Amino acid sequence: MDSENPIGQFLRARRELVDPAELGLEVGPRRRVSGLRREEVALLAGVSTDYYVRLEQGRERNPSAQVVEALARALQLDEEAVAHLHKLASPGPARRRRTPQGERVSRQLVQLMDAWPRTPALVLGRCLGVLAGNALGKALFGGHEHSDDLIRLVFLDPDAREFYPDWERVAVNTVGGLRATAGLDPDDPLLIETVGELSVKSPEFRRLWARHDIRQKTKETKRFHHRLVGGLTLHYESLTVNSAPGQQLVVYQADPGSPSEEALALLGSLTAAESPRETGKRIPNEN
């Protein structure tokens, strides 16, 4: 984790991703850095090189909103990354430390998901662990070593690339979602543990984590190859659970009349008689 100098880490990572040739800058054999040089970022943003160096080194931590916008243009940041940089430049009050007993899902939310027998639904925690799900949601992600943890499923499961045909895109977006969580509470022990384990065990995770991409989990179309029913193309919406900050309700749907809708129906019929242990790990919820 890089909570000691979040602005500097972010700026350095993002400037290394910018192609100087796309900005009309000379690229020759004498260029020894990937991406932009510090002085090039400063020039493009209209600030002094000394000031920009202080930002990267953590000696200047509160740039103005105007400077943030100028840096965002220089680094070609998208909307989510710009919002993240503003948060780094103007952090809010420290969040109250969470209690150690873990995340819990309300009984009412579980009942709501269970009322959607033909719609896969999951509740995810702040580090993308599966806290609860309805029968079809558990069946959709069931059968993997890490069915109860979506970020470990992507990076540590031996069949992740088969399950996600567009694995690289899924991996980028998953790490970007975890980065968004890190911006909210970089000292969260669960986050530190998750990043530490994945950094040790997965070179792909280390590579993507170093990019500092930001991807809020909102909505997307995602392809799956399920071990029981084959190919699925599903759209999901991610909704925040206001009664439990940090939790997300994720709901998946297939296009009406599509082969994916038929495959979901088949998956539901195949798993209807199976126990919760067989369709996916069941997480205790609140009484």
Side-chain angles (χ1 to χ4, degrees):
M1 295 297 294
D2 40 43
S3 58
E4 291 300 316
N5 182 20
I7 294 179
Q9 294 284 347
F10 181 78
L11 292 175
R12 179 173 181 176
R14 300 309 301 180
R15 73 174 168 86
E16 291 178 351
L17 297 176
V18 179
D19 184 355
E22 292 184 357
L23 300 178
L25 299 174
E26 182 180 354
V27 180
R30 299 181 62 184
R31 181 177 287 271
R32 297 180 180 179
V33 299
S34 59
L36 297 177
R37 299 185 179 101
R38 288 172 171 175
E39 58 268 25
E40 290 171 336
V41 177
L43 178 63
L44 292 168
V47 300
S48 71
T49 300
D50 178 67
Y51 178 78
Y52 180 76
V53 169
R54 294 203 309 270
L55 279 174
E56 275 206 9
Q57 293 179 345
R59 294 185 287 123
E60 172 63 53
R61 295 175 179 265
N62 299 109
S64 67
Q66 292 81 1
V67 169
V68 169
E69 289 292 334
L71 290 170
R73 289 191 295 271
L75 297 173
Q76 300 182 317
L77 302 183
D78 61 23
E79 184 176 344
E80 288 182 317
V82 174
H84 180 70
L85 183 54
H86 274 289
K87 290 178 182 178
L88 295 180
S90 301
R95 296 171 63 126
R96 184 170 61 87
R97 178 60 52 218
R98 297 179 176 92
T99 53
Q101 67 264 27
E103 300 167 294
R104 312 283 287 185
V105 180
S106 72
R107 174 179 293 179
Q108 292 76 17
L109 186 53
V110 172
Q111 290 173 341
L112 175 64
M113 291 188 294
D114 287 343
W116 303 332
R118 295 183 295 177
T119 303
L122 302 173
V123 177
L124 303 182
R126 59 191 185 274
C127 291
L128 304 183
V130 179
L131 305 182
N134 63 9
L136 195 52
K138 294 174 185 177
L140 177 61
F141 290 93
H144 304 281
E145 184 178 335
H146 295 285
S147 294
D148 60 347
D149 190 312
L150 297 195
I151 194 162
R152 287 176 172 83
L153 171 57
V154 172
F155 289 100
L156 301 182
D157 221 282
D159 58 353
R161 293 176 186 266
E162 180 181 357
F163 182 57
Y164 294 112
D166 305 309
W167 183 89
E168 180 70 24
R169 180 167 65 89
V170 171
V172 168
N173 291 340
T174 301
V175 173
L178 193 64
R179 269 285 177 196
T181 297
L184 296 175
D185 189 358
D187 297 319
D188 180 355
L190 178 60
L191 179 67
I192 293 172
E193 177 187 349
T194 300
V195 172
E197 178 187 351
L198 291 169
S199 296
V200 169
K201 295 181 178 179
S202 171
E204 294 91 349
F205 177 85
R206 287 199 305 273
R207 171 178 63 86
L208 294 174
W209 184 254
R211 289 172 54 95
H212 284 246
D213 289 322
I214 304 296
R215 298 283 190 277
Q216 294 285 351
K217 191 175 182 67
T218 54
K219 62 180 180 179
E220 188 185 4
T221 298
K222 186 175 290 186
R223 293 197 303 146
F224 303 86
H225 187 273
H226 197 278
R227 62 190 177 89
L228 297 180
V229 298
L232 291 159
T233 298
L234 303 178
H235 316 291
Y236 77 72
E237 289 278 349
S238 179
L239 311 173
T240 59
V241 180
N242 292 338
S243 61
Q247 292 183 13
Q248 303 173 77
L249 171 62
V250 186
V251 183
Y252 296 84
Q253 288 185 316
D255 287 329
S258 67
S260 293
E261 185 181 54
E262 296 177 1
L264 269 185
L266 175 59
L267 180 61
S269 65
L270 290 174
T271 59
E274 293 185 4
S275 69
R277 178 180 59 82
E278 293 170 316
T279 57
K281 183 177 179 181
R282 188 173 183 86
I283 308 296
N285 46 40
E286 287 184 346
N287 295 322

